[in-house]
Amino acid sequence: MTAINAGGPPPVTSVPAVPGAPGAPGGPSGPGWGGPGWGGPGWPPPPLDMGVPRFLGRDGEFFGLLLRGALLLMVTLGLYRFWLTNDIRRYLWGHVEVNGDGLEYTGTARELLIGFLMAIVLLLPIYLLFYVAALMPDLIPYIGAVSFIVLALLGQFAVFRARRYRLTRTVYRGVRFFQTGSAVRYSLLSNFWSLVIVLTVGLAYPFAAASLERYKMRHTHYGDLGGQFVGSGWGLFARGILLWILAVAPLAAAVVFTVISVDWLPVLQTLLSLDIAKISALDENDALALAVGFVLMAAGWGAFAGLIFYPMFRAIVLRWWVSGLRMGGVSAHSYFRNGQAYGIYFRFLGYAMLFGIAASVVGLLLAGLHSVSVRDLKLSSEAGEISGIVLGLIGYVAMMLGYSTIFHTIVTFRFWRLSFEMTQLWGLSALDGVVARGEASSALGEGLADALDVGGL
Amino acid sequence: MIRSGPAIYFDGKTSTRHPVTVELDNSALAVKSADGRLLARWPYGELEQTSANAGVFRIGRTGSDALERIEVRDPGLAHAIDLMSVPVDRTGLQQRRGRRKVVLWSMAAVVSLLALGIYGIPELATRAAPLVPYGVEKRLGQAVDLQVRAMLDPGKKGDAFVCGTAESEKAGQAALVRMVAKLETAAELPIPLQLKVVRHKQANAIALPGGYIYVFEGLIDRAEGPDEVAGVIAHEIGHVANRDGLRSLLQAGGLAFLFGMVLGDFVGGGAVIFASRAILRMAYSRHVEGQADTYAVGLIQQVGGDPRALSTILTRITGTKEPSVRVLTNHPATPERARSIENVTRPAIMRPIISAEEWAAFKRICGGTAATPAPKAEAGSPLEKAAGE
């Protein structure tokens, strides 16, 4: 995994911070957003039991942290990632305040490094086995599928264990969060749902998300308080189905149409004959040409619509997710607005464009400077080309890290902030007198997630 | 100086907030409840600052499993605690120092890992290759052979992909067998060669793991004497004898591990991984090609041929141009190769490897190729060792 990992999912895995939501007694129909309903003479003073978490981080500081981290990632070819990840988490966790007390992240970079080394030791024999098997003629047909399945299972195993590590390093009022449950079962469940999502062209996503979140939250604890997830698959389905119809349904329909309308037997025979002349003659198959045209159009539209609606999708999922979280008697409700998600992404696009222009200007200047200095210093053509390649490589890496830094400063940071600040919590008195339980877990899961590239924040 | 003040204490057993008074004595920090009871006493040497919001000075106790915390909001008191306790470091000076060390160590690690990539991995592959049984290498060769044939064979109808099977080509095939038998006997290889001439217009030849060698029709078209072809074949036999195909497979695995999992795991790192792997593999390959040339010279001398014929055909095919970017080629530059071949060569009594009649037949091993015009020199280097890459 990468500390800077553009385009990641919402910080779903860092659940602990935001417990609670409506639905339960005193859901959204009860007290509103700091609204009326409170203040009658008979009411107990509200601030004790309800409140909005605060996030006190400043994006300038966060940007500085990431920028310095990006430079160090470059000079250490990525080895600095353990320290950067740890700094980012300390910053994000440490600036959250719930009911007047701050969260604390107690993990260390050293733990991440050791977890990674342990994961390498664990993975090395597995990779070696795949490598050797890939060289055996009899095994070649199976090796792809087998390694895909093994790595998918291991990856989700790592995701669950990494969440456990992060939770046990999250401390609030001197009491830690922790996670029980079996990573093996989670991995099987998660991979089962991935398969169902693919088979249903995404329609099963809400049910998958609800099921996995229920498993995670059921096994999440803060001291002697138990977590719970009450969001329902149908609830998310109802909120998101319109987006699915707009973005995904045309593609699904086009695929179905293709399967039905084309007479596949002769087409397959032609393809299997491997005869170039016959295959190019497939052009004249009108039904096939029409179907392929439909699929291409639908895919193009799907990509366009996906881009347009992605912020709304994230907002919907974030609201649904936060509002389903419970921790003991604490419930939450998110008032995150679609417009806020669009604001964040537009801001990112704007800054990314500015950065792109600036980077191109700098790149052109450097390229010019390079060719001039190659000529003036009378470098051999070999030295010139090598230094050109190295410069280009550094430029490319700097560019990518720049985009990633901008992305995290704007998108990750603001989503994190708003996922707290747009959340109303009820039943906060349940957080008093919680008895400490649970122990710190090892960072093996984090290391595996890193090595398998499935990590999040 | 302030010696006491208000603070919040969390005892690590429950989440209850204890409003307390912190008192600083000479050796420790005492936590007292509102009614004056002593709740905790932390020696200054065991204090450690933990992360918190700006404006909150939060300390814990080193080595303690419980997550006891004291939070101070009064800057004066925080400053006083900082002064009393050596480990507490509110300016972050120690942390910055520690971080500088981390960065320096990481850079040292990068240098040593790069050295491992440049020197260690080829060395390891060289040491490990002889440990692989020939049976395994042969099976491996079969697998690679299938892939390479699929890549090379255009699958056109008509002539078979392998030359020397048609009736008119039989004489050429016999000449080839004689030439290879001579070389193979001299080479004393531990595995039998599987050498075939195939219909492919490139002037090239390749060796795979497990003794598979392909000589392309294009090379035979451009050859002007049996010693030239024998030199090229001897070069490929050199790859087989040195088990270069196996070595390069092992190296590729080692590099993939080093520059994929350990290094380069960050945004944009993919390009770094790709470039360093490509450059390192080319470097290994250049080294290996040089060794195969040396081997070929020795082998040809042994059978009494002209070792310089190899440099003649190399020069004919690629010309004498130096490549512009040396790090991006997998073979040494041809003039460099030609020079080193001629350096190693000592004059020897020359015996023809095959007779003139046999050579004439050999030229027709792919069926009347003498009629087809010779293809232009390929841009790529000859004697490619496409060991399953």
Side-chain angles (χ1 to χ4, degrees):
Chain A
M1 91 124 203
T2 315
I4 300 201
N5 198 354
V12 176
T13 38
S14 48
V15 178
V18 214
S29 53
W33 176 243
W38 297 95
W43 292 98
L48 282 179
D49 214 44
M50 60 176 283
V52 176
R54 293 200 300 161
F55 181 70
L56 301 162
R58 291 204 303 268
D59 45 11
E61 275 175 7
F62 191 65
F63 177 71
L65 180 77
L66 290 181
L67 192 66
R68 208 178 50 129
L71 290 174
L72 291 172
L73 278 179
M74 260 173 96
V75 297
T76 61
L77 290 185
L79 285 183
Y80 189 72
R81 63 185 182 273
F82 309 108
W83 285 268
L84 178 59
T85 304
N86 201 62
D87 284 353
I88 289 174
R89 288 184 190 163
R90 275 170 65 121
Y91 193 88
L92 291 179
W93 267 241
H95 287 87
V96 173
E97 203 179 273
V98 178
N99 213 13
D101 289 311
L103 287 187
E104 184 187 331
Y105 182 76
T106 61
T108 65
R110 188 179 299 241
E111 286 169 351
L112 291 182
L113 177 63
I114 292 172
F116 173 73
L117 294 176
M118 274 166 30
I120 291 270
V121 170
L122 193 86
L123 285 177
L124 203 55
I126 297 179
Y127 277 145
L128 218 61
L129 218 68
F130 286 151
Y131 189 69
V132 170
L135 301 174
M136 297 290 159
D138 329 332
L139 296 179
I140 287 175
Y142 314 106
I143 193 69
V146 170
S147 60
F148 181 79
I149 292 170
V150 169
L151 292 183
L153 287 171
L154 258 178
Q156 290 306 304
F157 176 89
V159 164
F160 195 72
R161 289 286 295 258
R163 183 177 185 270
R164 188 175 86 165
Y165 170 81
R166 283 193 297 270
L167 280 175
T168 61
R169 296 308 189 274
T170 304
V171 175
Y172 176 64
R173 292 181 173 171
V175 174
R176 68 161 47 92
F177 287 79
F178 64 98
Q179 175 180 287
T180 52
S182 148
V184 173
R185 282 173 94 165
Y186 177 83
S187 173
L188 291 173
L189 189 68
S190 168
N191 279 292
F192 162 75
W193 276 115
S194 303
L195 192 69
V196 176
I197 289 174
V198 170
L199 291 178
T200 57
V201 206
L203 271 181
Y205 174 77
F207 307 99
S211 161
L212 293 178
E213 207 52 51
R214 272 199 299 275
Y215 190 85
K216 284 191 266 194
M217 283 309 292
R218 198 165 62 229
H219 294 104
T220 301
H221 305 268
Y222 169 61
D224 59 355
L225 296 187
Q228 207 190 336
F229 185 74
V230 300
S232 77
W234 283 110
L236 182 58
F237 185 87
R239 291 175 176 89
I241 185 65
L242 196 65
L243 293 187
W244 187 86
I245 291 173
L246 284 170
V248 188
L251 184 59
V255 170
V256 170
F257 171 78
T258 311
V259 170
I260 295 171
S261 70
V262 177
D263 186 4
W264 281 103
L265 199 62
V267 173
L268 280 179
Q269 277 167 350
T270 314
L271 284 176
L272 288 176
S273 73
L274 293 177
D275 186 327
I276 300 285
K278 276 199 208 156
I279 290 176
S280 28
L282 281 176
D283 274 0
E284 289 149 28
N285 183 335
D286 287 341
L288 183 67
L290 188 69
V292 170
F294 269 148
V295 169
L296 287 180
M297 265 166 60
W301 163 253
F304 173 72
L307 223 58
I308 298 286
F309 293 127
Y310 181 67
M312 196 195 284
F313 172 73
R314 272 201 75 174
I316 289 172
V317 174
L318 181 66
R319 275 197 302 272
W320 169 81
W321 171 65
V322 170
S323 303
L325 297 170
R326 298 286 182 278
M327 183 53 73
V330 185
S331 54
H333 186 75
S334 172
Y335 293 85
F336 188 81
R337 295 189 302 274
N338 293 346
Q340 290 175 313
Y342 277 100
I344 290 172
Y345 279 102
F346 277 127
R347 198 183 173 89
F348 168 64
L349 279 183
Y351 276 97
M353 255 156 30
L354 283 180
F355 174 70
I357 294 168
S360 321
V361 171
V362 173
L364 282 177
L365 281 177
L366 277 179
L369 204 68
H370 175 249
S371 59
V372 167
S373 53
V374 165
R375 196 187 58 213
D376 291 355
L377 295 174
K378 300 206 167 41
L379 291 177
S380 68
S381 69
E382 189 183 353
E385 296 218 25
I386 291 175
S387 58
I389 289 171
V390 170
L391 258 178
L393 204 63
I394 293 176
Y396 171 79
V397 171
M399 188 93 176
M400 297 310 286
L401 281 173
Y403 278 121
S404 153
T405 302
I406 293 173
F407 181 85
H408 286 291
T409 307
I410 294 173
V411 179
T412 309
F413 187 81
R414 280 165 194 255
F415 265 99
W416 180 268
R417 170 198 290 281
L418 292 175
S419 66
F420 290 103
E421 293 193 337
M422 297 309 288
T423 297
Q424 176 79 297
L425 298 175
W426 286 274
L428 286 173
S429 54
L431 295 176
D432 299 331
V434 174
V435 179
R437 293 270 160 79
E439 282 170 10
S441 79
S442 89
L444 173 66
E446 288 272 359
L448 271 177
D450 183 339
L452 296 169
D453 275 330
V454 290
L457 199 61
Chain B
M1 197 177 81
I2 301 176
R3 304 296 297 210
S4 76
I8 307 287
Y9 174 61
F10 297 107
D11 61 11
K13 298 186 190 80
T14 73
S15 69
T16 309
R17 229 169 183 262
H18 300 281
V20 292
T21 308
V22 164
E23 285 173 15
L24 309 182
D25 61 31
N26 286 334
S27 62
L29 175 158
V31 179
K32 288 190 175 152
S33 68
D35 53 15
R37 270 185 309 126
L38 182 70
L39 295 177
R41 193 165 179 285
W42 293 5
Y44 291 124
E46 294 176 12
L47 303 188
E48 91 183 310
Q49 189 182 5
T50 67
S51 69
N53 259 328
V56 178
F57 175 60
R58 182 186 284 153
I59 44 180
R61 222 172 146 176
T62 32
S64 161
D65 279 341
L67 297 159
E68 304 163 81
R69 293 291 185 262
I70 296 170
E71 290 180 7
V72 176
R73 283 165 201 265
D74 170 8
L77 183 60
H79 182 65
I81 295 173
D82 188 12
L83 288 182
M84 298 298 283
S85 167
V86 177
V88 171
D89 160 44
R90 285 202 311 149
T91 57
L93 188 70
Q94 280 171 20
Q95 206 212 342
R96 276 198 298 280
R97 259 190 214 144
R99 201 46 72 87
R100 249 200 305 276
K101 245 177 164 170
V102 162
V103 171
L104 287 176
W105 275 111
S106 302
M107 286 166 74
V110 167
V111 170
S112 87
L113 287 172
L114 284 178
L116 179 68
I118 295 169
Y119 304 107
I121 288 183
E123 192 58 35
L124 277 173
T126 307
R127 296 277 164 88
L131 302 179
V132 178
Y134 279 100
V136 172
E137 188 182 335
K138 267 171 87 173
R139 297 187 55 186
L140 215 152
Q142 281 167 18
V144 177
D145 178 54
L146 282 177
Q147 289 172 17
V148 170
R149 268 186 90 141
M151 242 157 53
L152 294 177
D153 189 351
K156 271 190 218 135
K157 304 275 152 57
D159 295 335
F161 177 55
V162 175
C163 298
T165 50
E167 202 51 46
S168 62
E169 299 166 353
K170 283 274 151 65
Q173 178 68 21
L176 171 71
V177 167
R178 239 176 75 74
M179 178 193 282
V180 173
K182 248 185 174 172
L183 290 169
E184 200 174 353
T185 317
E188 291 174 349
L189 293 174
I191 39 173
L193 285 183
Q194 314 263 352
L195 189 141
K196 294 183 180 87
V197 177
V198 296
R199 261 173 257 282
H200 196 280
K201 285 293 167 201
Q202 209 180 355
N204 205 346
I206 58 175
L208 311 181
Y212 290 85
I213 294 178
Y214 288 114
V215 178
F216 296 169
E217 183 187 356
L219 184 96
I220 297 183
D221 289 342
R222 309 252 306 165
E224 290 174 3
D227 283 5
E228 293 183 0
V229 177
V232 171
I233 292 177
H235 171 98
E236 300 305 329
I237 291 178
H239 286 314
V240 173
N242 296 335
R243 305 183 82 176
D244 290 334
L246 186 64
R247 265 161 67 185
S248 88
L249 279 175
L250 293 174
Q251 279 166 359
L255 278 186
F257 173 73
L258 189 58
F259 287 92
M261 240 158 116
V262 181
L263 293 178
D265 195 355
F266 58 98
V267 172
V272 176
I273 295 172
F274 181 79
S276 23
R277 260 156 73 170
I279 288 177
L280 282 178
R281 279 171 69 168
M282 303 286 180
Y284 301 161
S285 165
R286 280 198 305 278
H287 175 66
V288 160
E289 294 305 321
Q291 285 181 332
D293 281 347
T294 313
Y295 182 94
V297 167
L299 188 61
I300 293 293
Q301 278 178 329
Q302 236 178 306
V303 299
D306 175 11
R308 274 168 303 190
L310 176 58
S311 80
T312 316
I313 187 169
L314 279 178
T315 312
R316 181 175 323 122
I317 290 168
T318 58
T320 50
K321 200 165 55 84
E322 297 265 355
S324 57
V325 187
R326 200 177 306 232
V327 287
L328 292 183
T329 54
N330 54 2
H331 284 62
T334 305
E336 194 182 315
R337 290 178 76 178
R339 268 196 303 278
S340 54
I341 290 170
E342 273 150 29
N343 282 341
V344 190
T345 308
R346 264 169 275 113
I349 312 135
M350 306 248 246
R351 275 165 296 162
I353 289 182
I354 51 175
S355 70
E357 299 83 65
E358 279 173 320
W359 170 243
F362 184 76
K363 282 287 273 183
R364 290 191 302 274
I365 190 171
C366 290
T369 44
T372 47
K376 283 183 189 146
E378 297 281 343
S381 317
L383 316 191
E384 190 94 30
K385 174 192 54 70
E389 297 171 11

